């Protein structure tokens, strides 16, 4: 069999999850509610009122799940830490909450699996929201740094890859502006204030991490990035794509890597939100403190045409490609374009694809298996794009499939399955899908065969 794409021997093959989506045990060992506990229990916010109360019961089944990671042969496992387990109340550290993560890390280390920890993957403690709206309150930076510092103290060098935030775009724009995610606000000025405070909290945590001089550990941030393409060669469609790119990507990439918000978006947004009085002297220096790597979450691209009436002057146009169960166009070539653009315009730092994957209609067939050929195809095509970038000298160091297992898909509840491992939520039985068996071979070969 010829190899379609070969990866470096030290390429980091992983899978990813997040705390609220898999753990369950929402009232156990001192954990208090997060904004997602509140949001998911609010009428109409999630599919059929689904919540993370039980999820994949990973809090109790973590040993079995780490054994599955070993069976698949991953080199690294990206998970997130639930802030409400660590600080159930402001200023009140909960060692029992930390103990869970120490046990999880211990299981990973026993199997030579590298832990990659996301400090914040959207489960803000409800107490923080109750004090001035969570990320709307500039005090959230202090609360976050206290939380992150405790993690560095307790887990420090046991975690080689620290990720400050998962997708600030989602925890701000989607959550305070569009309202699809917790806390469900629909106020664009609030969204930009939240984004600013989240980015500031990132910078302050990196500074705290540097002061602690944690040997062998690296720190970065994960951004969800969606390349925007014009629907035609018309100048107005190109302008629409510029604004769509600013909305999704540059509003976060520029402050982190260039130390400023993009001028064109500042001008556009000022007409909507008024003064940027929440940006203080020195903030952009803090946000742009040097990091060690960039995490890239890639799923799909956008194609836009000019729309005078929309805030962004852009209207999405459906692409020609096949779609996943989320309705997202499958566009592996756009991942290559994205990686090349990041390398060209933003950073030569190591990058990790910290999430890439797809939801498809998965079912357990008579043979007790899940033949998810579409997911194999999706991952294969995106790995080929990644290999092409590496082959051209691109500094891509790893790839984490989203997700290890089916889990709570936010507003979609359990209706969308992203896992390479199937979860039967009535029995909590795990079944390795064909994609997990295929990924195992890719990892063994450090490459893809057709
Ligand atoms: O939707 C799949 C995953 C989700 O389960 C992860 O928790 C999250 O990190 C994640 N981010 C994206 C891409 N961004 C996005 C865009 C619109 C809505 C929700 C997420 C996809 N995903």
């Amino acid at each position: 069999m010829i190899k379609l794409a070969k990866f470096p021997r030290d390429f980091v093959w992983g899978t990813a999850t997040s705390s609220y989506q898999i753990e369950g045990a929402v009232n156990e060992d001192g954990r208090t509610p997060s904004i997602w506990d509140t949001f998911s229990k609010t009428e109409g916010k999630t599919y059929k009122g689904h919540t993370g109360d039980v999820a994949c019961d990973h809090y109790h089944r973590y040993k079995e799940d780490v054994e599955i990671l070993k069976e698949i042969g991953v080199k690294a496992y990206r998970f997130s830490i639930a802030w409400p387990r660590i600080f159930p109340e402001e200023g009140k550290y909960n060692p029992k909450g930390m103990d869970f993560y120490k046990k999880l890390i211990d299981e990973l280390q026993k199997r030579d699996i590298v832990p990659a920890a996301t400090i914040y993957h959207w489960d803000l403690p409800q107490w923080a929201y109750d004090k001035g709206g969570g990320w709307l309150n500039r005090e959230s930076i202090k609360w976050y740094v206290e939380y992150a510092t405790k993690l560095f103290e307790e887990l420090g060098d046991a975690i080689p890859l620290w990720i400050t935030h998962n997708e600030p775009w989602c925890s701000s724009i989607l959550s305070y502006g569009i309202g699809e995610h917790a806390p469900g606000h629909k106020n664009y000025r609030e969204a930009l204030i939240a984004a600013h405070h989240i980015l500031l909290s990132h910078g302050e945590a990196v500074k705290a991490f540097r002061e602690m001089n944690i040997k062998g550990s690296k720190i970065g941030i994960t951004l969800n990035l969606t390349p925007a393409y014009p629907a035609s060669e018309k100048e107005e469609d190109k302008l629409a794509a510029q604004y769509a790119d600013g909305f999704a990507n540059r509003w976060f990439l520029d402050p982190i890597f260039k130390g400023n918000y993009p001028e064109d978006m500042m001008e556009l947004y000022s007409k909507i939100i008024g003064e940027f009085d929440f940006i203080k002297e020195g903030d952009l220096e803090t946000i742009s403190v040097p990091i060690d790597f960039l995490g890239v979450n890639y799923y799909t691209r956008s194609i836009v045409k000019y729309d005078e009436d929309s805030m962004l002057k852009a209207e999405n146009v459906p692409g020609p490609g096949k779609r996943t169960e989320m309705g997202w166009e499958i566009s592996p070539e756009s991942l290559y374009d994205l990686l090349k653009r990041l390398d060209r315009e933003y950073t030569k730092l190591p990058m990790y694809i910290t999430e890439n994957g797809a939801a498809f209609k998965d079912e357990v067939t008579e043979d007790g298996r899940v033949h998810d050929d579409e997911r194999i195809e999706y991952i294969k095509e995106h790995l080929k794009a990644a290999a092409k970038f590496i082959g051209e000298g691109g500094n891509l160091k790893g790839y984490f499939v989203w997700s290890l297992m089916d889990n709570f898909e936010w507003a979609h509840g359990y209706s969308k399955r992203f896992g390479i491992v199937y979860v039967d939520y009535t029995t909590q039985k795990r079944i390795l899908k064909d994609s997990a068996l295929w990924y195992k071979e890719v990892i063994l070969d450090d490459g893809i065969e057709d």
Side-chain angles (χ1 to χ4, degrees):
M1 289 268 228
I2 52 146
K3 279 205 187 326
L4 254 180
K6 193 77 184 132
F7 288 80
R9 285 289 302 136
D10 60 354
F11 192 71
V12 178
W13 298 100
T15 58
T17 63
S18 88
S19 44
Y20 188 73
Q21 293 180 271
I22 67 166
E23 287 179 1
V26 293
N27 300 314
E28 215 148 312
D29 292 334
R31 181 187 183 279
T32 57
S34 74
I35 55 172
W36 267 97
D37 294 89
T38 307
F39 189 73
S40 62
K41 289 177 168 62
T42 306
E43 177 74 28
K45 298 300 183 186
T46 63
Y47 175 80
K48 292 186 179 175
H50 288 177
T51 75
D53 282 357
V54 177
C56 307
D57 194 32
H58 176 72
Y59 193 78
H60 301 114
R61 297 167 188 268
Y62 69 94
K63 287 187 180 178
E64 174 193 354
D65 292 333
V66 173
E67 193 44 45
I68 289 173
L69 287 168
K70 188 64 184 172
E71 193 181 337
I72 296 169
V74 299
K75 306 296 184 198
Y77 171 55
R78 177 182 175 233
F79 59 96
S80 81
I81 296 168
W83 188 347
R85 294 193 189 281
I86 310 301
F87 281 92
E89 293 173 52
E90 183 185 359
K92 288 222 174 104
Y93 169 54
N94 176 34
K96 285 190 83 169
M98 189 70 80
D99 284 349
F100 169 70
Y101 297 101
K102 289 182 175 176
K103 290 186 293 186
L104 172 63
I105 291 162
D106 189 42
E107 291 301 314
L108 292 166
Q109 287 177 333
K110 275 193 251 177
R111 296 167 177 83
D112 293 326
I113 297 170
V114 173
T118 305
I119 296 172
Y120 185 70
H121 199 127
W122 308 352
D123 40 2
L124 182 76
Q126 185 63 36
W127 61 256
Y129 177 73
D130 293 340
K131 288 173 178 281
W135 293 113
L136 298 181
N137 184 345
R138 199 169 163 109
E139 269 208 285
S140 55
I141 294 153
K142 179 191 69 176
W143 302 329
Y144 176 86
V145 172
E146 178 186 40
Y147 161 53
T149 301
K150 182 57 80 175
L151 296 181
F152 298 150
E153 285 167 357
E154 294 292 321
L155 306 175
D157 59 6
I159 307 275
L161 293 174
W162 283 99
I163 296 165
T164 56
H165 279 278
N166 179 71
E167 302 188 347
W169 185 90
C170 286
S171 7
S172 58
I173 310 300
L174 196 56
S175 304
Y176 285 88
I178 298 168
E180 186 183 313
H181 279 195
H185 293 199
K186 296 181 181 178
N187 178 318
Y188 209 72
R189 177 175 168 80
E190 287 188 354
L192 298 182
I193 291 169
H196 188 65
H197 292 159
I198 288 166
L199 288 172
L200 261 176
S201 75
H202 156 77
E204 292 295 356
V206 172
K207 288 198 277 190
F209 179 86
R210 297 291 183 227
E211 279 158 29
M212 295 174 75
N213 200 13
I214 301 168
K215 289 272 170 281
S217 292
K218 303 289 182 189
I219 194 163
I221 188 169
T222 277
L223 303 178
N224 56 299
L225 299 169
T226 305
Y229 297 81
S232 78
E233 285 307 300
K234 284 192 290 188
E235 283 313 308
E236 63 179 28
D237 288 349
K238 288 181 184 172
L239 180 63
Q242 178 190 321
Y243 284 139
D245 176 50
F247 169 73
N249 309 316
R250 291 183 290 116
W251 192 257
F252 297 92
L253 285 167
D254 285 23
I256 291 166
F257 291 107
K258 298 181 177 178
N260 60 269
Y261 283 110
E263 247 332 287
D264 61 336
M265 300 311 291
M266 291 281 282
E267 197 180 320
L268 181 71
Y269 286 158
S270 61
K271 296 174 191 139
I272 302 155
I273 71 148
E275 295 299 307
F276 285 86
D277 50 4
F278 49 88
I279 301 174
K280 310 293 182 198
E281 186 67 34
D283 284 359
L284 272 297
E285 285 71 28
T286 297
I287 292 171
S288 58
V289 290
I291 52 178
D292 301 316
F293 64 87
L294 173 65
V296 175
N297 286 1
Y298 173 78
Y299 288 86
T300 189
R301 65 168 175 174
S302 74
I303 300 171
V304 293
K305 67 178 183 184
Y306 187 79
D307 173 10
E308 180 55 41
D309 302 331
S310 93
M311 175 187 91
L312 288 168
K313 306 297 173 205
E315 181 190 335
N316 280 318
V317 168
K322 287 191 285 185
R323 287 168 190 291
T324 70
E325 271 301 290
M326 297 294 279
W328 298 345
E329 185 192 15
I330 299 171
S331 179
E333 61 286 347
S334 301
L335 171 60
Y336 170 78
D337 290 349
L338 169 63
L339 294 170
K340 293 296 276 186
R341 189 255 181 116
L342 291 169
D343 176 79
R344 191 176 57 245
E345 296 178 25
Y346 286 97
T347 182
K348 300 292 182 189
L349 284 175
M351 293 191 280
Y352 293 84
I353 294 173
T354 35
E355 284 180 32
N356 176 246
F360 291 109
K361 272 195 183 2
D362 293 330
E363 58 175 28
V364 183
T365 45
E366 299 268 298
D367 57 2
R369 302 274 300 276
V370 179
H371 303 299
D372 56 337
D373 297 342
E374 289 175 296
R375 184 171 289 106
I376 291 173
E377 187 61 20
Y378 179 98
I379 298 172
K380 180 187 292 187
E381 290 308 307
H382 286 82
L383 283 176
K384 281 160 63 177
K388 184 180 173 190
F389 174 69
I390 295 169
E392 293 171 2
N395 198 3
L396 183 68
K397 294 299 182 192
Y399 175 91
F400 292 78
V401 175
W402 185 270
S403 179
L404 165 64
M405 66 182 94
D406 298 333
N407 57 53
F408 175 77
E409 179 47 42
W410 309 111
H412 298 276
Y414 300 97
S415 69
K416 305 295 180 194
R417 293 178 177 272
F418 275 88
I420 58 173
V421 175
Y422 184 92
V423 176
D424 177 332
Y425 295 109
T426 53
T427 64
Q428 288 296 348
K429 182 180 174 194
R430 276 81 161 129
I431 301 171
L432 272 67
K433 301 178 191 176
D434 287 0
S435 56
L437 305 175
W438 172 82
Y439 194 49
K440 176 177 181 169
E441 295 308 311
V442 170
I443 296 169
L444 282 171
D445 292 349
D446 280 315
I448 320 164
E449 293 177 349
D450 212 3

